Each structure stands twice: as C-alpha cells, then as structure tokens.
Amino acid sequence: MVTIKDIAKRLGIAPSTVSKGLNDANDISPELKQLVLDTAIEMGYVTKRMKKETRKRLCVFIENMRYEQSRHFGFDIILGFRQAAVRDNWDITIVPITPDLQLEDPYDRYMVKNNYHGGFLVGFALKDPWMEQLKTTTIPTVLFDNYITKNSNVAYVGTDSFEGIDLAIDHLTALGHTQIALLNGSLNSMVTAHRYDAYIASMQSHQLQVNENLVAYGHYVEDSAKYHMPSLIKNGATAILCGNDLLAVGIIRECEKLHIKIPTDLSIIGYDNLPIAAEISPALTTINQDRINLGRNAYAALFWLIAKVPISRSLLRPQLIVRDTTAKPKSSYHRVRYSSQSSQRLQSNL
Amino acid sequence: MVTIKDIAKRLGIAPSTVSKGLNDANDISPELKQLVLDTAIEMGYVTKRMKKETRKRLCVFIENMRYEQSRHFGFDIILGFRQAAVRDNWDITIVPITPDLQLEDPYDRYMVKNNYHGGFLVGFALKDPWMEQLKTTTIPTVLFDNYITKNSNVAYVGTDSFEGIDLAIDHLTALGHTQIALLNGSLNSMVTAHRYDAYIASMQSHQLQVNENLVAYGHYVEDSAKYHMPSLIKNGATAILCGNDLLAVGIIRECEKLHIKIPTDLSIIGYDNLPIAAEISPALTTINQDRINLGRNAYAALFWLIAKVPISRSLLRPQLIVRDTTAKPKSSYHRVRYSSQSSQRLQSNL
C-alpha cells in the first residue's frame, strides 16, 4: 500500500507538502500539485478525491494488447493518459474489451449508459464491431493507431509509422544492407498496413528493389517469428525489420537455437522499444515509441474534442535506438546462409 | 528582486528544497528540480547558471500571407496562437519575413541572437532559405502547412487537405458533377501539392476519370483566377474547386463579367472560409479551416516541443460549408458553355 510518506520520499519533499498537493491546497503551485498527482498515480496511490469523483468520467478501452505491467506495451500509454487526465479531475475507468462485448451494446449506447464523457480506444482491430460505429459517433473519442474519416468527434493519435520504418531502413542501408526483410504484424490492423506502405516507399526512396518474398505477416507476438524466419532467410534477407519488439525477440531466440549469429550473420531491428529490447542479449536495435507521451497526447486530443475543437490526428516522432543487433552484412563471398544442421532444424519448423 | 524564499512560497515548499533544486543536489527528484528551475526562470530569479535567461520569448514569422485585419487568412491564426501562449506568460513577437531577410542570418543564429525560445513559421514557401536549415535546427519550431522529416525539434500543424478536397468532391458528385476542375494555388507550396494529390485520390475513389486539362496552377490571389478559367471551362468543367477563397472570388467576378450564371452554369467551391466567403454574392460554398484553433494548436505543439515531447504533426479536420455557389450541373443537352460574346471576351483574356 503506497503512503503519502512514500511519495514524499520519492520526490524529496515533506509529507505535508504531498498532502497539500493531494488535497488541492492553495499554498502550493499548480505545477508542484501536478507533479505530486503524477507521481501519486504512477505509484498507485488513490486519493479520496479520486474516489469521490463520479460525475466526470472517461473510459479507456483496451484490446489485443497487454498493459498490466510496465514491460507491456500498453502500460505507459495508459499511465501517461491517466497522469494527464487527473489534473482536470476526470475519473478514469480501464475496460478490457472484446468483439463479443462490443456486440452486446452499440458504442454510443454503452458510453451514454455508463455516463462516460469520452473514450480512448487502444488496440482495436479494423474489423471490430465498434470501428464501423465510430464513423457516426457523437461521443468524443480518441483512437490509438486507428483513423476514422470525416467524423469530427474522433481523433487519431500514434507515432508516425512512415518515419519509423524510414529511420530503420536509413540505418540498415548505411550499414550496407540491400536485402532487407519486413516481418510485419497482424493484417487486421491499420499500423500493419502503414508499415508495409512505409517499407515499400522507403525501399524505393533508397533505390532498393522490393522483393515481395522478403515480406511476411505474422502476429505481434514472439511465438509468431519462427514460422516466418526460414523463408525470409532462404530468400536472401541479411536484415529483418520486425513489426514490433516481440517479433524481434522471437527472431533472436530462433537464431540462438539455429546457431545463427546476430548481428554477424543477420541484423535485426524491432519496433516500440519495450523494456525487453534493452534487457535481451544481444540488446535490440529498435524504433522507440514514446508511450508516456502518447498517452498524454491522447488525453490532450480528447480534451480538445470535448471542447469541440475538431482535432483530426496528432502524431509523435519515432526515434531510432541503435543497440547490438545491427551491423554490416557479410560480404556475399563470406555469407553462410545456413549450416546443414540449421537447415535441417529449419525444415522441421516449416 | 526575486529571492529563494519567494520561489519557495510560490511552490509551497521549504526554501532549503529550492536551494537544492537550484544547486543541482542529488537528494531531490529530477522532476522537482526541473520545476524549481522552471519556476525560478519564470519568476525572474537569476543565478550564474541562468544568466543568459531573460524574458520567455517566442517569435511568429509570417510570409506570403496577409494577417493585419480579421478578413485576412493569417489574422485568426496569429490571434489563436497569442491567446493560447499568453496563459504561459510568453512574450510574442510577430516578424514579417522575406527570403532576403532569411539570407541575412541563418535561422538558429537569428533565434539565439534574439533570445527566442521557439518559433512559429507561417506561410513559408518550399524554397525559402530557412526551410533547408530547419532539417537540422535545434530550436523548437512549429510550421503552419509545412513539414520537415526526421527532426524532432520541428512540428507541422494545419488542416487535413486530403479530407478537405474529399469533402468538396463528395458534395459535387452527390450533385451529379463529373467534370470537376481543380484551380490550385502556387506550385512552391506543400499544401498545393497535397491538394493536387488529394484531388487525384478523391476523383479516383469516386470512380471519376482524371482529366489533366481540368487542373491548373495559379497563385493564391483573386487576380490569378481569370487567366485559368477559360481553359478549364473550354475543357468541359461544370464545377471548379479552388485552392483558396480568393481564387474562388476571382472566378465569381469573372463569371459576372462574362454573364456565366453561378451556380446554374457553373458550380464553385472555395477553400478556407474567409469572411468574404459569406459576404460575396452569391455566397461561396467552401471548406472551412478553423483558424483560431489552428493557432491554438500551433502553440500547444510548440509548448510540447519546448518540453522535449517529439510532436510530429497535429492536424485539424476541415468542414464543408454549403452556400449558394454549388448546384446540379446542367444536363449535357441544355448546357451552354459560352455565348459568342463571352467567348470573344475570353479570347482577349487569354
């Protein structure tokens, strides 16, 4: 159980100052108040005021994504959203959702019934029942990584996938790679489509031939990697650009089993910069998504929509984080695609 | 003269904690340290470390655009920006700029020399000297209707041109138009390129043939319209979609002279929704850009950049405003392209 003393210790201020921050006292600056609230939320402290608030309510729906622990992709997004929303005294409810639950109630009815003033939808798939309904919703709604045309009640927030993929291909081509594979995520997702389009555009702008045999679609989970790696490598990939870090981790584990050396034999780039990217060995070169600020940005967009400002989209820049999974490709002469042993193991995976 | 005690009082913490913050002590959280420094700077407290800090200053540069009166496009953008910035006590300077002035000083040197913490650049052309320098600037900078790749110090704000053009073409096709012309603005502009791409994409998505003879580039001023109208109409246009309201006003005036009836003989759609769009007769159907909120959005983006949040782009939705310049096209049988008198007048304009 987090106490006021814990928050005070963390911030290096007196417990009485923390109390002032939590109780909206007048003799403490708004900025320090916000910092106290941010920290309290991050540490899991629940204030009396937060318990009392029932009138102003926002709902975060999350699907197809883990968010319970800090190592999960959704965790910081929701944390950032809650940190930003608390200053306006919103009560935030987190609802894990499924297509079946969406079929029980239309989106607008669900929101009105539960007295939610706005929604933040994270991880929705293109075919989700509510996605169609969002084209005409009257409820202020922010989508993470999804876009709805021509409805000024709905905004899209995310990280610019085009620049992310382009940064990765800049890096790989600077190292000398030309046979760059894309191991993409699930087809039923807008960012998957964006990253494919970005890959094609970036390969072309780098004067590289696109080879469709070097493109595969899996799912955004580690276990998916092994089904796709063999054909990418057999088709000559010297580098694999992955749709997220989990896929990249799957590739690293598979390479371990098959005695393929990273980055000597194969370069790998992830996407997202989850904590595991820094922890795994070799540490993963990846594209950072600033998830705390994505959450804050989502709240800012929702705040604007509620104020009738027709925000359409608000995107953050990705950042390339170079670690240990990328290097020059072997020269063609020295390249050993597979030892016969690796080859046999691969066959059994196909 | 501001003292440590004043800062402590303002923040509601002990003077000793303020000292720790100012002296970079280790037993105070980085967030609180930042807050102490921010507050000290804001209150005008001066230490050796802060000697260079004076007043918090932002600069708005404006070019190729009128902004002095409320009927001008730039007026509300700057007003919205100033309204939003004033709450954070920024000192705002408005600087009309030219390519020559840009050649006198590189952008970063100009900003540092004048002690500006950030810039908002409105109306810049693609070939402006500073545009190239923005690729590597370290100064937080927001561009209206311009985009710089891969520099996390620079953000782009504007209205989604793709949706704007698509709304206009939705409206015209619903009325029965198929011969839709685009009278675009200056070539040396990002939005001009976006609106052309949007026109092509939207025509195709409406299953309409693109006829390049129905596309013309002028300048974003009224006088430009008359040079391009004749060929658009001779090539069969039943509707002209204009790059801004001023071009549309030019078309209306030209039609008056030539006794072409609007909207019976020709439909016209503007872009921007300037005050003149509602005042002119017939009142102009147009695409609204919410300029006050564009200005506010620009400040919000600049605020984030200054706080090191890598905002990439933040766009508002456009809105179709239907007035009196759009109607069903004449059936082919009844359509009279030009009276011989009109035709003669047109010749003299070519």
Side-chain angles (χ1 to χ4, degrees):
Chain A
M1 190 68 182
V2 178
T3 65
I4 285 180
K5 222 171 159 183
D6 297 328
I7 300 169
K9 195 175 169 191
R10 161 86 173 272
L11 285 171
I13 58 179
S16 59
T17 310
V18 173
S19 283
K20 286 179 186 174
L22 296 175
N23 293 308
D24 208 17
N26 286 328
D27 56 343
I28 170 172
S29 76
E31 295 88 351
L32 181 57
K33 204 179 288 177
Q34 183 61 45
L35 178 57
V36 168
L37 288 171
D38 279 358
T39 309
I41 286 169
E42 193 185 333
M43 296 176 73
Y45 184 84
V46 181
T47 70
K48 283 179 192 164
R49 276 178 66 233
M50 286 159 71
K51 282 181 194 159
K52 271 189 220 160
E53 282 293 340
T54 49
R55 281 183 309 164
K56 289 175 59 177
R57 304 182 71 197
L58 300 178
C59 189
V60 179
F61 297 97
I62 190 156
E63 187 184 21
N64 301 312
M65 192 187 291
R66 303 293 300 274
Y67 67 97
E68 303 90 334
Q69 299 171 13
S70 62
R71 65 189 167 91
H72 295 143
F73 184 79
F75 185 87
D76 277 352
I77 294 175
I78 290 181
L79 177 60
F81 184 87
R82 294 176 66 220
Q83 285 180 337
V86 73
R87 77 188 62 166
D88 297 330
N89 292 322
W90 289 102
D91 179 46
I92 311 288
T93 309
I94 315 291
V95 175
I97 192 94
T98 63
D100 281 352
L101 284 169
Q102 292 170 44
L103 288 172
E104 283 179 15
D105 262 319
Y107 178 68
D108 282 20
R109 192 202 293 164
Y110 184 97
M111 297 300 278
V112 169
K113 201 169 77 176
N114 290 286
N115 203 24
Y116 291 127
H117 291 61
F120 176 35
L121 278 55
V122 184
F124 276 57
L126 295 172
K127 288 177 184 169
D128 266 309
W130 281 359
M131 286 295 288
E132 183 65 27
Q133 298 165 23
L134 290 176
K135 292 180 183 170
T136 53
T137 187
T138 58
I139 308 286
T141 301
V142 172
L143 294 168
F144 177 75
D145 275 354
N146 270 304
Y147 181 63
I148 297 289
T149 57
K150 298 174 191 170
N151 182 347
S152 54
N153 297 309
V154 184
Y156 151 41
V157 300
T159 305
D160 184 341
S161 287
F162 286 83
E163 194 154 298
I165 295 292
D166 203 35
L167 287 170
I169 293 178
D170 281 350
H171 175 58
L172 291 171
T173 53
L175 290 169
H177 292 271
T178 59
Q179 304 298 305
I180 301 169
L182 174 67
L183 174 50
N184 212 339
S186 321
L187 272 167
N188 188 20
S189 139
M190 188 186 77
V191 281
T192 301
H194 281 186
R195 288 178 192 165
Y196 174 75
D197 292 346
Y199 168 81
I200 300 297
S202 180
M203 289 293 279
Q204 287 170 347
S205 79
H206 287 87
Q207 271 93 48
L208 293 177
Q209 202 94 40
V210 172
N211 172 358
E212 290 287 349
N213 292 322
L214 291 182
V215 176
Y217 292 91
H219 294 277
Y220 286 112
V221 296
E222 182 182 329
D223 194 51
S224 188
K226 64 171 178 258
Y227 301 104
H228 304 283
M229 193 178 88
S231 77
L232 297 179
I233 293 188
K234 284 196 171 164
N235 283 299
T238 61
I240 301 178
L241 175 48
C242 299
N244 74 354
D245 288 341
L246 301 180
L247 281 166
V249 166
I251 296 279
I252 291 174
R253 306 246 198 256
E254 202 57 17
C255 286
E256 236 165 56
K257 281 190 218 157
L258 300 170
H259 307 293
I260 297 170
K261 282 179 202 150
I262 300 169
T264 329
D265 298 337
L266 182 69
S267 284
I268 301 171
I269 299 189
Y271 208 106
D272 293 343
N273 196 25
L274 292 180
I276 197 172
E279 292 157 11
I280 199 171
S281 173
L284 182 65
T285 295
T286 191
I287 302 296
N288 185 57
Q289 295 208 55
D290 182 346
R291 293 184 296 283
I292 285 277
N293 281 317
L294 282 168
R296 290 182 177 152
N297 197 22
Y299 174 71
L302 191 52
F303 176 87
W304 286 55
L305 290 180
I306 290 169
K308 302 285 177 203
V309 176
I311 195 102
S312 165
R313 74 189 79 193
S314 184
L315 303 185
L316 296 191
R317 291 198 191 258
Q319 191 191 357
L320 174 71
I321 310 287
V322 177
R323 296 200 182 95
D324 306 330
T325 56
T326 44
K328 284 183 190 173
K330 279 189 178 172
S331 68
S332 307
Y333 181 78
H334 290 103
R335 195 181 304 151
V336 180
R337 297 263 163 84
Y338 276 96
S339 66
S340 63
Q341 195 190 16
S342 301
S343 219
Q344 278 164 16
R345 292 190 199 189
L346 271 173
Q347 297 304 324
S348 67
N349 276 331
L350 285 172
Chain B
M1 190 70 184
V2 177
T3 66
I4 284 180
K5 221 173 160 184
D6 296 328
I7 299 169
K9 195 176 170 191
R10 158 84 176 274
L11 286 170
I13 59 179
S16 60
T17 310
V18 173
S19 285
K20 286 180 187 176
L22 296 173
N23 295 309
D24 209 17
N26 286 327
D27 55 343
I28 171 173
S29 77
E31 294 90 349
L32 182 56
K33 202 178 291 175
Q34 186 60 48
L35 178 57
V36 168
L37 287 170
D38 283 355
T39 309
I41 289 167
E42 195 187 330
M43 293 177 74
Y45 183 83
V46 180
T47 68
K48 281 178 190 170
R49 285 176 63 225
M50 299 168 191
K51 235 175 189 173
K52 285 174 188 169
E53 293 290 347
T54 57
R55 181 108 192 251
K56 289 170 50 173
R57 303 182 73 198
L58 300 178
C59 190
V60 179
F61 298 96
I62 190 155
E63 188 185 19
N64 301 313
M65 192 188 290
R66 302 294 301 274
Y67 67 96
E68 304 90 335
Q69 298 170 13
S70 62
R71 65 190 168 92
H72 295 143
F73 183 78
F75 185 87
D76 277 352
I77 294 174
I78 291 179
L79 177 60
F81 184 87
R82 296 177 67 214
Q83 284 178 338
V86 76
R87 74 188 62 163
D88 296 331
N89 295 319
W90 289 101
D91 181 41
I92 310 286
T93 309
I94 315 290
V95 175
I97 192 94
T98 63
D100 281 353
L101 284 169
Q102 293 170 43
L103 288 173
E104 284 180 14
D105 262 321
Y107 177 69
D108 282 21
R109 192 201 295 164
Y110 184 97
M111 297 300 279
V112 170
K113 202 169 77 177
N114 290 286
N115 205 22
Y116 291 126
H117 290 60
F120 177 35
L121 278 56
V122 184
F124 276 57
L126 295 172
K127 287 176 185 170
D128 266 309
W130 281 0
M131 286 295 287
E132 183 66 27
Q133 297 166 22
L134 289 176
K135 291 179 183 171
T136 54
T137 186
T138 58
I139 308 286
T141 301
V142 171
L143 295 168
F144 178 73
D145 275 353
N146 270 304
Y147 180 65
I148 298 290
T149 57
K150 298 175 192 169
N151 183 346
S152 53
N153 297 308
V154 184
Y156 151 42
V157 300
T159 305
D160 184 340
S161 287
F162 287 82
E163 192 154 299
I165 295 293
D166 203 34
L167 287 170
I169 294 180
D170 282 350
H171 175 58
L172 291 171
T173 53
L175 290 169
H177 291 272
T178 58
Q179 303 298 304
I180 301 169
L182 174 67
L183 174 50
N184 213 338
S186 321
L187 272 168
N188 189 19
S189 139
M190 188 187 77
V191 282
T192 302
H194 280 187
R195 287 177 193 166
Y196 174 75
D197 292 346
Y199 168 81
I200 300 297
S202 180
M203 289 292 279
Q204 286 170 348
S205 78
H206 287 86
Q207 270 94 46
L208 294 177
Q209 203 95 39
V210 172
N211 174 357
E212 289 288 349
N213 293 321
L214 292 182
V215 177
Y217 292 90
H219 294 277
Y220 286 112
V221 296
E222 181 181 331
D223 195 51
S224 188
K226 63 171 178 260
Y227 302 103
H228 304 284
M229 193 179 87
S231 78
L232 297 180
I233 294 188
K234 284 195 172 167
N235 282 300
T238 61
I240 301 178
L241 175 49
C242 298
N244 74 354
D245 288 342
L246 301 180
L247 280 166
V249 166
I251 296 281
I252 291 174
R253 308 247 197 255
E254 202 57 18
C255 286
E256 235 165 56
K257 281 191 218 155
L258 300 170
H259 306 292
I260 297 171
K261 282 179 202 152
I262 299 171
T264 329
D265 297 338
L266 182 70
S267 285
I268 300 170
I269 300 189
Y271 208 106
D272 295 342
N273 196 25
L274 292 180
I276 198 175
E279 292 157 12
I280 201 173
S281 174
L284 182 64
T285 296
T286 190
I287 303 295
N288 185 57
Q289 294 208 56
D290 182 346
R291 293 185 296 283
I292 285 277
N293 280 318
L294 282 168
R296 289 181 177 154
N297 198 22
Y299 173 72
L302 191 52
F303 176 87
W304 286 56
L305 290 180
I306 290 169
K308 302 287 177 203
V309 177
I311 195 104
S312 163
R313 74 189 78 194
S314 184
L315 304 184
L316 297 190
R317 292 199 189 258
Q319 192 191 357
L320 174 72
I321 310 287
V322 177
R323 295 198 182 95
D324 305 330
T325 56
T326 43
K328 285 182 187 174
K330 279 189 178 174
S331 67
S332 307
Y333 182 77
H334 290 103
R335 195 181 303 153
V336 180
R337 297 263 164 85
Y338 276 96
S339 67
S340 64
Q341 195 190 17
S342 301
S343 217
Q344 278 164 17
R345 293 191 198 188
L346 272 174
Q347 297 304 322
S348 66
N349 277 331
L350 286 172

